[in-house]
């Protein structure tokens, strides 16, 4: 009998569910909105997951699931894990699926396991949020960063977006020595005309972390125009990401020469200056490690995590 797995990649911006068999064949896959309960609340997360699960069943008619891996952003503490487990329990109860084993993990941890296949390695993600995880290949997993937008997420899309917005307000106040193109680029993106409208946008009732993270997309354009403030933000982001990575690598030393640091997330993929400066910083401490920029969709790594638990 064929075995089926569910892989759910629940991030701060979007959530993807994939239903596959043991050979990796995809039977259903769909992307919806965020399932980070810290950002949108437990009720909305439950609704998103319930809808995805029911759509997967209606599309496939498959009932028996061997393993379901829920890789969810915001699973950072035991209390957070308990909250997410309750949400998932209710969501699965609202669907027809019979799931024999359920794995609930932080999304970065699941991705790391899916990437390394149990071997030593590390993963840095910089998307809407940021975090670094590493494993020694002997079952030990350590982390650095990933403490959320209120106190952390350094070097992430949200962090960069917030830095850009802060720069615009500082420029408006006359607190910068030189003008910045960031103002015009953000105004154009948001289709607004002045600082008061920007302030209203920030404090709108429907404000989300993802909206601020989206602002980071203008950074590359600003850098190409030679904007000093944009270049400084990029370099600061790279430094913060390197500090996070070096910290987690220290926790699992010694590091072998074949050690790989996997890199994932839109910030690292679409900002060459951040990527290159980051590598330079890390290489100063760990000159022999190598880097691998992930090219597959994140859901594929989560699916690998689920499939590995079948073996």
């Amino acid at each position: 009998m064929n075995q089926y797995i569910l892989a759910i990649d629940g991030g701060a911006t979007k959530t993807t569910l994939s239903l596959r068999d043991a050979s990796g064949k995809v039977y259903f896959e769909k992307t919806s909105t965020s399932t980070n309960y810290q950002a949108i609340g437990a009720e909305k997360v439950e609704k998103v997951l319930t809808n995805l699960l029911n759509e997967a069943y209606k599309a496939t008619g498959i009932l028996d699931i061997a393993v379901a891996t829920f890789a969810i952003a915001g699973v950072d503490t035991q209390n957070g894990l308990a909250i997410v487990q309750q949400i998932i329990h209710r969501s699965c109860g609202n669907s027809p699926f019979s799931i024999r084993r359920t794995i609930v993990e932080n999304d970065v941890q699941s991705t790391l396991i899916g990437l390394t296949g149990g071997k030593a390695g590390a993963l840095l993600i910089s998307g809407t949020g940021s975090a670094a995880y590493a494993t020694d290949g002997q079952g030990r997993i350590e982390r650095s960063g990933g403490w959320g937008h209120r106190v952390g997420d350094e070097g992430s899309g949200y962090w960069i977006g917030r830095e850009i917005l802060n720069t615009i307000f500082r420029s408006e106040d006359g607190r910068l020595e030189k003008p910045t193109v960031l103002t015009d680029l953000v105004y154009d993106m948001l289709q607004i005309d002045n600082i008061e409208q920007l302030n209203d946008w920030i404090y709108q009732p429907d404000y989300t972390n993802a909206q601020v993270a989206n602002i980071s997309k203008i950074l590359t354009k600003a850098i190409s125009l030679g904007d000093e403030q944009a270049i400084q933000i990029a370099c600061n982001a790279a430094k913060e990401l390197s500090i996070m990575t070096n910290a987690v690598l220290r926790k699992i030393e010694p590091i072998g020469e074949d050690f790989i640091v996997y890199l994932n997330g839109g910030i690292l993929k679409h900002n060459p200056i951040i990527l290159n400066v980051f590598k330079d910083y890390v290489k100063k401490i760990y000159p022999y490690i190598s880097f691998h920029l992930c090219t597959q969709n994140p859901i594929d790594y989560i699916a690998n995590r689920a499939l590995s638990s079948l073996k």
Side-chain angles (χ1 to χ4, degrees), residues 21 30-31 57 66 83 97 104-105 108 110 135 139 153 168 195 231 252 258-259 276:
D21 65 17
K30 184 173 181 179
T31 297
Y57 168 71
I83 291 172
F97 286 120
V104 182
E105 292 174 331
V108 186
S110 270
T135 177
D153 281 345
I168 293 172
I195 200 70
I231 294 170
I252 61 160
D258 59 346
F259 193 91
N276 292 330

Side-chain angles (χ1 to χ4, degrees), residues 37 42-43 45-46 49-50 75 78-94 102 104:
Y37 80 94
E43 290 185 6
V45 172
E46 182 180 337
L49 291 177
T50 297
V75 179
Q78 288 301 312
N79 181 60
L81 175 61
I83 291 172
V84 172
Q85 286 174 329
Q86 291 173 4
I87 295 170
I88 290 170
H89 178 74
R90 292 194 299 269
S91 301
C92 292
N94 293 332
T102 301
V104 182

Side-chain angles (χ1 to χ4, degrees), residues 69-81:
T69 295
F70 290 82
I72 308 294
V75 179
D76 302 311
T77 65
Q78 288 301 312
N79 181 60
L81 175 61

Side-chain angles (χ1 to χ4, degrees), residues 5 10 19 43 66 73 75 101 125 134 148 157-158 177-178 198-199 286 311:
I5 63 102
L19 195 161
E43 290 185 6
V75 179
R101 182 185 178 193
I125 288 185
Y158 173 82
E177 293 182 0
K178 296 181 180 180
L198 179 59
N199 192 69
Y286 297 98
K311 300 175 183 178

Side-chain angles (χ1 to χ4, degrees), residues 9-16 31-36 40 44 48 52:
D9 178 24
T13 302
K14 60 185 179 180
T15 300
T16 301
T31 297
S32 185
T33 54
S34 168
T35 45
N36 184 333
I40 68 171
K44 289 183 179 179
V48 172
L52 283 172

Side-chain angles (χ1 to χ4, degrees), residues 172-240:
E172 175 69 19
D173 287 343
R175 289 184 278 162
L176 298 181
E177 293 182 0
K178 296 181 180 180
T180 173
V181 301
L182 293 171
T183 301
D184 289 339
L185 291 174
V186 169
Y187 284 6
D188 184 60
M189 170 183 272
L190 301 180
Q191 297 185 328
I192 60 176
D193 301 312
N194 55 60
I195 200 70
E196 289 189 2
Q197 291 176 344
L198 179 59
N199 192 69
D200 290 339
W201 179 85
I202 292 170
Y203 290 100
Q204 64 176 304
D206 296 331
Y207 165 96
T208 65
N209 300 346
Q211 289 173 335
V212 175
N214 195 50
I215 296 292
S216 68
K217 291 180 179 179
I218 70 163
L219 191 68
T220 301
K221 176 66 173 178
I223 290 171
S224 72
L225 295 172
D227 188 85
E228 292 182 12
Q229 295 297 322
I231 294 170
Q232 188 62 54
I233 290 171
C235 290
N236 289 344
K239 185 175 182 179
E240 291 290 350

